[in-house]
Amino acid sequence: MSGTSRLLDGKVVIVTGAGSGIGRAAARVFAEDGAQLALFDRDPRGNEETRDLIGGSARAWTCDVSDEASVAEAVAGAVAAFGRLDGAFNNAGIEMANKLVPDLDAAEWARIMAINLTGVFLCMKYQTRAMQGSGGAIVNNSSGDGIIGAPYASDYVATKHGVVGLTRAAACETRYTGVRVNAVLPGLILTPMVEERLLGNPAFEAQVAPMVERHSIGRFGQPEEVGQAACWLLSDRASFVNGALLTVDGGYTAR
Ligand code: NAP
């Protein structure tokens, strides 16, 4: 790909949850499209592996997105290291506890809220401050479950609907912040979360067949396919796209 046609040429972009799955794949897509990467993950080992896979100017920060001080410190570190911030892909998240509402513990509910929803808010807070006035773009990773329901997933569905609301509300503030805010809504994507912890878990067996059926494209997604969609939303090619919910789900939510 020639330098001039790369979507993120020269842009400094944060990726959260960069140590695995969609975050790692997206970071690689962004780097191929010219971005300088600030990689955030609570797991330093996976995150450093991603940094080493990308090479070049990519830098890794250990950051727990549910911890405000950790987020503030990592964003400040990235801005100090690269001199500015142009974009962010807020992707870090965990899966559901796989329980019906009456069986879900308040502690399980609080944990997923803290990471999947409060974590996105905290990242947006410090990223928007860093980008304010100089333009910039944020893409949040919601889910198909951000616009539809699913059994055994009320905790996860609630967080991902929350990310959709947060994205839309922040997009209504672009006139004040100058930052565009959009979301990607993936279907089932073959990452460690899905392959190792959901599909490999007998407790989820009953949920899998109906999920396959809903992906009308006839397969589950690859993490790079989410990265490509996020890459475009972060780029200047999407300069008039704001508050959009981009499904990347093989038709999962189309019916
Ligand atoms: P993954 O392979 O488990 O990767 C998630 C990464 O986020 C892991 O490295 C994880 O670290 C990190 N992380 C978790 N909690 C964190 C925290 N508090 N602070 C910083 N990093 C944290 O999962 P994935 O499938 O790529 O999922 C990425 C995102 O896509 C999630 O938000 C998920 O909800 C969303 N999504 C996934 C799918 C799918 O089918 N895979 C579909 C729709 C949406 P640890 O390894 O230490 O947990």
Side-chain angles (χ1 to χ4, degrees):
M1 196 176 284
S2 86
T4 50
S5 67
R6 295 194 302 178
L7 288 181
L8 301 179
D9 233 357
K11 288 189 189 290
V12 176
V13 177
I14 289 171
V15 176
T16 72
S20 176
I22 295 171
R24 171 175 289 175
R28 297 182 80 173
V29 167
F30 301 168
E32 280 168 19
D33 259 298
Q36 301 183 70
L37 272 306
L39 307 166
F40 292 7
D41 202 293
R42 68 179 175 186
D43 166 22
R45 209 174 45 133
N47 205 25
E48 283 160 18
E49 268 175 31
T50 303
R51 178 200 61 200
D52 295 343
L53 282 168
I54 292 172
S57 63
R59 299 264 311 258
W61 279 265
T62 301
C63 172
D64 177 350
V65 297
S66 65
D67 176 339
E68 182 158 7
S70 175
V71 171
E73 193 180 327
V75 172
V79 172
F82 290 105
R84 63 174 199 286
L85 181 64
D86 303 302
F89 180 41
N90 293 320
N91 159 80
I94 59 171
E95 63 269 28
M96 62 290 286
N98 193 35
K99 291 183 176 173
L100 298 174
V101 168
D103 302 324
L104 195 58
D105 296 331
E108 290 167 327
W109 173 268
R111 178 168 176 264
I112 195 167
M113 282 289 157
I115 296 173
N116 287 15
L117 182 53
T118 306
V120 174
F121 155 68
L122 291 173
C123 288
M124 290 174 68
K125 172 175 172 174
Y126 290 94
Q127 292 157 358
T128 306
R129 284 184 181 183
M131 292 191 280
Q132 203 144 14
S134 58
I138 289 174
V139 175
N140 295 324
N141 196 355
S142 174
S143 167
D145 288 346
I147 51 172
I148 61 171
Y152 293 91
S154 56
D155 49 353
Y156 185 79
V157 167
T159 64
K160 294 302 184 178
H161 274 66
V163 171
V164 162
L166 180 55
T167 299
R168 284 179 152 154
C172 295
E173 297 178 358
T174 303
R175 71 172 67 247
Y176 311 110
T177 63
V179 177
R180 290 186 300 111
V181 189
N182 294 290
V184 285
L185 281 60
L188 222 66
I189 308 296
L190 295 172
T191 66
M193 177 189 282
V194 165
E195 287 189 292
E196 293 164 18
R197 303 199 294 276
L198 300 187
L199 299 182
N201 182 347
F204 282 92
E205 219 173 304
Q207 277 93 272
V208 173
M211 277 188 189
V212 177
E213 171 65 25
R214 283 194 72 129
H215 289 71
S216 63
I217 213 162
R219 64 174 175 86
F220 292 151
Q222 294 297 331
E224 296 74 20
E225 294 177 291
V226 181
Q228 293 290 355
C231 185
W232 176 75
L233 285 170
L234 286 169
S235 80
D236 295 340
R237 302 254 179 101
S239 53
F240 199 56
V241 182
N242 197 23
L245 310 178
L246 179 52
T247 57
V248 190
D249 69 359
Y252 178 60
T253 55
R255 68 166 86 167

